[in-house]
Amino acid sequence: MEEEDGFKELGATFAIENEDHTLVNTLRFFLNKNPNVSFCGYSIPHPSEAVTNIRIQTTGLITPQEALQQACMSLKEVCGHIKATFKAEMAAKGAATDMDT
């Protein structure tokens, strides 16, 4: 998001609904690996609320939205690799897998 004066927004907070520590902590890990992210943290305001807030602060070379999108793509790639490796190992051992989805 670029404003009129050319200043790029450095920080943003995203509310992620119906997710918990499992996904958000993994996204935080990938965000913190990004050299263009200067800060990333998350909080769950209350256990009875189904929302998690994730705060992303960047260096200005990318927007927080771009950083979050890159983290999601990295997570997707890692999950794909894990799935492919698991299926290959199961096939090598002669076990059937039902992981085509």
Side-chain angles (χ1 to χ4, degrees):
M1 293 180 2
E2 203 153 316
E3 296 178 9
E4 289 181 18
D5 61 358
F7 176 75
K8 194 178 275 191
E9 185 178 344
L10 298 180
T13 301
F14 301 91
I16 301 175
E17 296 180 348
N18 299 316
E19 294 296 341
D20 60 8
H21 295 282
T22 306
L23 174 67
V24 182
N25 193 41
T26 307
L27 286 175
R28 183 196 57 80
F29 172 79
F30 283 106
L31 284 161
N32 281 324
K33 287 183 64 164
N34 187 332
N36 296 315
V37 173
S38 56
F39 171 81
C40 177
Y42 74 93
S43 66
I44 298 177
H46 195 274
S48 67
E49 295 180 28
V51 65
T52 303
N53 297 319
I54 186 164
R55 175 76 181 166
I56 303 169
Q57 190 87 22
T58 65
T59 60
L61 297 176
I62 62 172
T63 65
Q65 292 83 357
E66 292 168 333
L68 183 58
Q69 186 175 18
Q70 290 173 9
C72 288
M73 293 306 296
S74 294
L75 177 57
K76 184 178 178 180
E77 290 172 11
V78 168
C79 288
H81 174 72
I82 291 170
K83 181 178 176 180
T85 303
F86 178 78
K87 286 175 76 171
E89 286 296 316
M90 294 300 286
K93 296 189 184 322
T97 61
D98 186 23
M99 297 184 66
D100 293 329
T101 57

